[in-house]
Amino acid sequence: EILEIGCSQGIVSILLGREGKNVLGIDDSESSIQEAKNNLKKEEEETKQFVQFEKGNFFLKEFDRQFDVVVLGEVLEHISDIYTFFHKVVEVTKDDGTIIVTTPFGINEFPDYKRTFYLYDFIKYQDFGVVIEDIKFFGKWIGIKYIKSNEIDKVKLNDDLFRSFEKALKYMERNYITKLYQQDKEMELLKEELKKIPKLQEEIEKLKVFKEKFI
């Protein structure tokens, strides 16, 4: 039993349904849910029986059951009240169940992102009654696998985590430096183009004089 919160067009839910997983995908966007349902219609009948999509606000929605897995793909960065949200995520997860989180981390430039995440933020979320089983870095993204349990020791910052985190930061810094270099090159090209404007103006004036005299 899987719950995908913020399922958008339903791609992840459908992929899981193809594997015989019972999936409920919810999203607070009517257009996204409609697109998810349209995508599901294109699937084989065997897949359709495992996947359900509903429009709903997770903060307000009431659930009549708990789930083995809750998926939060690119969701947390859009949430202001993380405490209430994540607490409810844990509530709807079965004991020893799994919560999978993916999100950008570090500084981001998207206006609809409510917060910036770093490694320590995800370690602190273990205070909600979950423990980290695995952490992966994917370029500018991070993936966390939580287990709902009070029996397993919480993950703490250690040498391996620091190395992985620093490697991911190096990747992001290299991307930023590359972008800045490209912008500098574009600025130089633009300056060269701007230098041509006075000469173009001179040619335009000459053409105007020619037109007045001979046309």
Side-chain angles (χ1 to χ4, degrees):
E1 295 288 335
I2 299 174
L3 171 66
E4 185 187 7
I5 303 170
C7 64
S8 192
Q9 292 85 18
I11 304 303
V12 172
S13 293
I14 289 172
L15 290 174
L16 291 169
R18 289 178 184 174
E19 298 180 359
K21 309 293 195 304
N22 291 310
V23 189
L24 170 61
I26 66 169
D27 201 290
D28 60 3
S29 167
E30 181 65 49
S31 60
S32 292
I33 288 296
Q34 191 56 54
E35 188 170 354
K37 290 180 178 179
N38 290 337
N39 288 332
L40 184 60
K41 289 178 182 178
K42 303 172 187 176
E43 294 294 310
E44 300 291 338
E45 291 301 321
E46 292 90 339
T47 300
K48 293 178 184 178
Q49 65 180 330
F50 291 109
V51 183
Q52 181 182 0
F53 292 115
E54 294 180 5
K55 180 184 181 301
N57 183 329
F58 179 71
F59 279 102
L60 307 177
K61 186 174 177 60
E62 294 184 3
F63 295 89
D64 58 2
R65 67 188 188 279
Q66 290 180 307
F67 298 86
D68 299 292
V69 180
V70 178
V71 179
L72 306 172
E74 314 288 316
V75 171
L76 286 184
E77 65 270 23
H78 300 283
I79 305 300
S80 297
D81 186 358
I82 288 287
Y83 179 87
T84 301
F85 184 87
F86 204 81
H87 180 74
K88 185 171 182 179
V89 169
V90 175
E91 279 188 338
V92 300
T93 304
K94 294 179 182 178
D95 290 340
D96 298 319
T98 301
I99 299 168
I100 297 174
V101 176
T102 64
T103 182
F105 77 105
I107 295 173
N108 57 71
E109 64 274 14
F110 296 101
D112 59 334
Y113 285 5
K114 302 292 195 303
R115 59 180 59 245
T116 298
F117 292 100
Y118 289 100
L119 181 59
Y120 189 66
D121 295 300
F122 299 105
I123 291 175
K124 283 293 293 178
Y125 293 155
Q126 293 179 115
D127 294 341
F128 288 89
V130 295
V131 293
I132 294 173
E133 184 177 78
D134 197 12
I135 298 177
K136 296 291 185 184
F137 294 94
F138 311 93
K140 198 180 183 305
W141 282 261
I142 187 171
I144 313 288
K145 181 180 179 182
Y146 292 100
I147 302 296
K148 182 178 177 180
S149 174
N150 292 312
E151 304 299 324
I152 307 172
D153 291 337
K154 295 179 181 179
V155 168
K156 299 179 181 178
L157 288 173
N158 55 51
D159 289 346
D160 289 338
L161 276 179
F162 270 122
R163 289 193 191 98
S164 297
F165 183 54
E166 288 176 353
K167 184 178 179 180
L169 285 179
K170 183 178 180 180
Y171 171 88
M172 291 194 300
E173 289 171 345
R174 176 54 56 193
N175 277 350
Y176 288 135
I177 290 172
T178 300
K179 286 181 181 179
L180 287 173
Y181 175 77
Q182 291 172 343
Q183 289 175 351
D184 287 342
K185 295 294 289 183
E186 290 172 1
M187 286 296 294
E188 290 299 321
L189 291 173
L190 182 59
K191 288 178 182 178
E192 292 299 319
E193 293 298 319
L194 290 173
K195 288 178 182 178
K196 297 177 183 178
I197 291 178
K199 294 180 181 179
L200 289 172
Q201 290 292 343
E202 290 178 10
E203 294 300 322
I204 291 172
E205 291 301 323
K206 289 179 183 179
L207 287 171
K208 284 182 179 179
V209 172
F210 179 83
K211 180 179 178 180
E212 291 172 357
K213 285 184 176 181
F214 299 103
I215 298 178

